[in-house]
Amino acid sequence: MPSLSDLEMVGQTCSSYQASQWAEERSCASCTHWLGEEEMCELDIFWDQLTSLDQT
């Protein structure tokens, strides 16, 4: 299960991000592709996006 911090980091850099109507902050949690109950991206790119971030 990804943390809120992970959702925010990926949402900030994701090229496929599409804000939902209620989006206040760019995060996976506010993306139309995020399936909240299943805690995953319907495009199946979350883990690839997360692991490609430079976290140094």
Side-chain angles (χ1 to χ4, degrees):
M1 178 166 110
S3 69
L4 291 176
S5 176
D6 292 342
L7 295 176
E8 290 172 0
M9 285 189 301
V10 172
Q12 294 293 324
T13 60
C14 184
S15 61
S16 297
Y17 176 83
Q18 293 180 346
S20 64
Q21 292 179 343
W22 53 270
E24 296 177 11
E25 183 176 321
R26 189 167 168 147
S27 168
C28 290
S30 64
C31 179
T32 58
H33 300 255
W34 190 253
L35 305 174
E37 292 178 9
E38 297 177 33
E39 296 184 351
M40 65 177 15
C41 177
E42 70 181 354
L43 302 178
D44 198 27
I45 60 174
F46 176 80
W47 294 111
D48 290 336
Q49 296 274 335
L50 182 63
T51 58
S52 71
L53 293 174
D54 181 14
Q55 298 182 18
T56 58

